[in-house]
Amino acid sequence: MRILALALVTLLVACSPAKPVAYSAAGIAVSEPFSRPAPAGGSGAGFFAITNNNTGPDVLVAVESPVSAMVQLHESSVKGGIMRMEELKEGVPIKAGETITFEPGARHVMFIRLGQALKAGDRIPATLVFRNAGRVPVELVVQGRPAGAGGMEQHGH
Ligand SMILES: [Cu+2]
C-alpha cells in the first residue's frame, strides 16, 4: 500500500508539468519559472511572468544564478528575417499592478556559459533582483527537449 502510494505521488508529480508554480516576496509575484534543456558550456534561457503588486513602479535590474558564468536579460526580435538578441542593460521596468512576461522568442533571461547541463526535470536556482523590492529567489523547472535548430541555442554570444 505504501509503495503504491509513493508510486502514485511520483506519477502525479511527473504528470503535472503545467501545474502553476508561483513565488512571491516584497509585493512581487513570479509565476511558472521554467527553462529548456541545454548543454554544459552552452547558453540556457529562463522564462516566467512577473507581477508588480506594489503601489509604485519597479525595475528588474538583474538575475543571478550559480548555474552559469554570466546571466543577462535579453530581448529577441526578428529583423529582416534574422533573429537577433539584444541585452537589456537598463533592466526591465514594471509599472505598479503590471504583469510582464519572459517567453521563448521574446524577452528572456540568458544563462551564458553553463557550468552544468540543464536536463528536463532539473530545478535551477535563480534570484531576481529588483531596484525597489529587492531580491526574489525562485526555481526554474527545466521542461521539454532541446530547442535545436531555430531555437534558443542558435543565438551566439
Ligand atoms: Cu539571449
Side-chain angles (χ1 to χ4, degrees), residues 74 76 85 108 110 152 155 157:
H74 280 181
S76 292
M85 278 197 306
H108 57 279
M110 193 113 246
M152 295 305 308
H155 303 314
H157 285 282

